[in-house]
Amino acid sequence: MSTAHDDFDAWKRRRTLELAYELADSGRYEDFTDIAYALQFERGMATAQALIDDPDMRRVLNQRCGDAREKLAPLPAPEAVAAVEAVEAVAQTSNDHAQLPQAGDFARAPSFLRRALATFTRSGNAGDLNSAAS
């Protein structure tokens, strides 16, 4: 009897992890907390939080969420592409020996940094940052 129970528990763990990966790869979730919520409350898997509450598992799920969202993100606007090309042109003609970041440098940055950079480049008006009520 114990073997059947152990097999069932192993199957539940495996199925929970498979679903967690599927949800992360869908691009609809921000991070592991959203996945834990979806598994627990939308899918009725009461033990999901405990199964994915491991630092390595959280890191993997967060990475997969970020990668999936980036694949679904729209291509950059032509203005952003032109700005990157202008920076590259300045970097190539500059006498300064300090090297400016290249487009490839941003591709290697963590996804949250790329999203933050994209947010500031898309906002267009830095004055909006100080518009909160005092």
Side-chain angles (χ1 to χ4, degrees), residues 48-105:
Q49 178 70 34
L51 290 175
I52 65 173
D53 195 23
D54 172 71
D56 291 332
M57 177 56 97
R58 290 185 296 214
R59 189 182 78 260
V60 167
L61 290 174
N62 289 344
Q63 181 66 45
R64 288 176 86 144
C65 286
D67 291 347
R69 281 192 322 277
E70 286 176 14
K71 288 178 187 175
L72 296 174
L75 294 175
E79 303 88 38
V81 173
V84 170
E85 290 172 352
V87 168
E88 289 175 350
V90 169
Q92 291 173 355
T93 61
S94 174
N95 290 333
D96 188 8
H97 295 289
Q99 193 169 10
L100 293 173
Q102 303 296 311
D105 296 334

Side-chain angles (χ1 to χ4, degrees), residues 1-133:
M1 178 81 169
S2 168
T3 304
H5 184 69
D6 291 342
D7 290 344
F8 182 68
D9 285 343
W11 176 85
K12 281 191 337 187
R13 279 192 300 275
R14 187 175 64 248
R15 183 66 185 139
T16 301
L17 296 178
E18 289 170 357
L19 282 172
Y21 290 142
E22 286 176 23
L23 294 176
D25 293 341
S26 73
R28 295 178 302 179
Y29 298 92
E30 183 70 25
D31 60 15
F32 81 95
T33 58
D34 293 343
I35 292 170
Y37 181 89
L39 290 172
Q40 191 169 3
F41 296 106
E42 295 171 12
R43 306 275 176 122
M45 303 176 90
T47 60
Q49 178 70 34
L51 290 175
I52 65 173
D53 195 23
D54 172 71
D56 291 332
M57 177 56 97
R58 290 185 296 214
R59 189 182 78 260
V60 167
L61 290 174
N62 289 344
Q63 181 66 45
R64 288 176 86 144
C65 286
D67 291 347
R69 281 192 322 277
E70 286 176 14
K71 288 178 187 175
L72 296 174
L75 294 175
E79 303 88 38
V81 173
V84 170
E85 290 172 352
V87 168
E88 289 175 350
V90 169
Q92 291 173 355
T93 61
S94 174
N95 290 333
D96 188 8
H97 295 289
Q99 193 169 10
L100 293 173
Q102 303 296 311
D105 296 334
F106 294 109
R108 292 188 308 269
S111 61
F112 68 91
L113 291 178
R114 284 195 295 270
R115 288 194 307 275
L117 179 63
T119 300
F120 285 113
T121 59
R122 282 191 300 245
S123 69
N125 187 359
D128 292 342
L129 297 175
N130 295 323
S131 64

